[in-house]
Amino acid sequence: MKPCRRRLLPLVLAGLVLALARVPPGRAAESQARMPPAAFSNVAGESFAARTPRGLFSCENSAATDHRQVLKLDGRILYRQPARLDRPEETDRLRDGIIHDDIGCPRVLGGGDGFVVLVRNLQPPQYGVQGYLAVNFREDDPYLIDLGTGYRPKDDAIPDERRLRWMDGGLVLRYFGDLPDSLAAGGASQDPPRANRTILFNFAESAPQDGDACLPLKDTPLFGDLADLIGAPDPSRRMPEGVRIGASKTRVLAILERHGRPYDPDETGEGSGEPPDRLTIPVCGNAGPLGAYPLFLFRDGKLEAIRFEAGDGQDDE
C-alpha cells in the first residue's frame, strides 16, 4: 500500500493547491488569519503541506526521499537532508531543516498571519517527547521560534481545538511539559517540574511569553496595542480584583505575585529590604518592547496611583 500512497501524495497536494486558489479575494484575509482545515494537510510522519504568504510550504520524509527530510517552499527545494551520519546542527533558519534524526516530518497544528505552528518528535516516537515551534514566514529568510516541549501521554490528552487558539494579533498554545529555553528561569539548581503550560505569542513581536507569569488586563484585547492605554483615565479598572487605589501595598503585592514577579523598573531602593514604591510587572500579550507597561506607585504603604508608560519597563542597557 505504501507505493500507492506515495503516488497519491502529489495528487493530494495538487488538489490542496487548487482548493486554496479558489478562496474568494474578499475572504482571503479572514481565511489566512484563521487557517481553516482546507489550508493545510498532514500524513503522519511522512508529509505535510501548509499555505503561507510565500507559497505552499511542504515537507516529505518517505521512501520516495530515501527517508530523508525534504522541505519545499513555493515549489522549490528549500532543504534536503544530507545522506551522511554527521548531520548538520539544527539552527533557527528553515533553510537548515527542522530536525535531523530520521523521525519524520512535523505535523501542522495551524497557521495564518504569516506564521505556521508545528509539532514534531524531538526523539524517536516511543520516548514521547515532542517540540512545538512557530515558523515566521513574514521574513525573506523564514526562521523557527521554539514554543516549548511536550511529553506524552499527558500532552496528547489536550485536544487540538483547545491546544491552539488563533486570535487577532497572536496565538495561545497549551501543552503539558517544559517552557522554551528563552523563558526558562536562569540559574535554577534543577529543572522545574513538568506542568500544564500556556504560551502567548504576539505576532508583531515574534516572541513567546509565559502566560502563567504575566498580568492579565480587563477589557483589553490580549494582543492589542497597549500604547492606547497611555494617559487613559482610571487604569485601575483594567486591573485584577483587589488592585485599586488606596489598597495596602502588602495586598497589591500579593495579588501581583500571583501573576508573575513585580520589579522596580528603575532599580531604586536596592538593599533596603523593603519592596520599592515603584513597581511594574509584565502584561499578558505584550512580550516585547512595543506598547506600554503599567506602573504602580505607592506612598505610606498604600497604592497611590497606577499609570501606563511607553515601552516595556526593561532597562535597555
Side-chain angles (χ1 to χ4, degrees):
M1 295 299 294
K2 287 187 178 179
C4 179
R5 193 159 95 182
R6 287 197 303 273
R7 287 197 296 272
L8 288 174
L9 180 60
L11 297 177
V12 172
L13 295 180
L16 175 62
V17 175
L18 289 175
L20 298 178
R22 295 192 184 103
V23 176
R27 294 182 59 85
E30 177 185 346
S31 298
Q32 177 65 15
R34 294 296 178 265
M35 187 176 270
F40 65 90
S41 65
N42 292 291
V43 177
E46 289 194 4
S47 65
F48 71 68
R51 183 182 60 185
T52 80
R54 302 189 179 279
L56 193 69
F57 170 46
S58 67
C59 172
E60 186 171 1
N61 190 321
S62 65
T65 63
D66 197 22
H67 298 288
R68 298 197 301 272
Q69 185 185 107
V70 175
L71 302 177
K72 291 183 179 180
L73 183 60
D74 197 25
R76 64 183 179 87
I77 293 178
L78 189 65
Y79 169 80
R80 187 191 299 273
Q81 183 177 319
R84 59 175 187 266
L85 295 178
D86 54 330
R87 301 289 165 79
E89 181 180 354
E90 182 178 355
T91 74
D92 65 350
R93 295 293 156 177
L94 186 60
R95 55 181 155 78
D96 292 324
I98 296 175
I99 194 133
H100 311 288
D101 292 328
D102 296 325
I103 49 182
C105 287
R107 180 167 66 96
V108 179
L109 291 180
D113 299 282
F115 292 87
V116 172
V117 177
L118 305 173
V119 58
R120 84 281 201 209
N121 286 308
L122 297 179
Q123 298 176 11
Q126 62 268 28
Y127 292 99
V129 183
Q130 54 194 25
Y132 295 91
L133 57 85
V135 188
N136 185 340
F137 286 98
R138 293 183 172 187
E139 302 293 329
D140 292 336
D141 188 9
Y143 63 90
L144 315 175
I145 303 105
D146 179 22
L147 299 181
T149 303
Y151 294 89
R152 298 190 295 267
K154 286 188 176 182
D155 190 30
D156 279 352
I158 302 173
D160 281 354
E161 59 268 22
R162 182 176 176 272
R163 181 184 304 282
L164 183 62
R165 182 184 178 195
W166 221 266
M167 304 176 67
D168 290 338
L171 62 88
V172 180
L173 174 69
R174 294 180 174 88
Y175 60 89
F176 177 85
D178 298 330
L179 293 171
D181 289 343
S182 62
L183 299 180
S189 58
Q190 58 184 8
D191 293 335
R194 296 166 188 169
N196 289 311
R197 306 291 184 183
T198 300
I199 295 296
L200 310 179
F201 187 83
N202 187 312
F203 297 145
E205 296 162 6
S206 192
Q209 182 184 28
D210 184 355
D212 299 312
C214 58
L215 184 70
L217 299 180
K218 295 179 180 178
D219 303 321
T220 304
L222 182 57
F223 299 105
D225 185 359
L226 297 187
D228 293 341
L229 299 181
I230 298 174
D234 193 17
S236 62
R237 71 179 182 85
R238 300 179 187 271
M239 298 297 146
E241 193 70 28
V243 178
R244 56 181 176 79
I245 303 303
S248 71
K249 186 176 188 178
T250 301
R251 176 168 172 74
V252 172
L253 275 174
I255 295 171
L256 295 181
E257 286 171 352
R258 296 174 196 162
H259 301 285
R261 185 183 64 83
Y263 62 92
D264 179 0
D266 296 327
E267 296 185 353
T268 58
E270 288 188 1
S272 66
E274 294 292 330
D277 286 335
R278 291 167 54 91
L279 288 172
T280 188
I281 188 172
V283 169
C284 293
N286 189 40
L290 304 180
Y293 66 97
L295 188 63
F296 302 89
L297 303 173
F298 300 90
R299 181 189 292 270
D300 298 327
K302 295 186 180 298
L303 182 60
E304 181 181 53
I306 304 172
R307 66 172 182 257
F308 284 89
E309 298 202 345
D312 63 353
Q314 301 286 349
D315 191 347
D316 292 334
E317 293 184 1

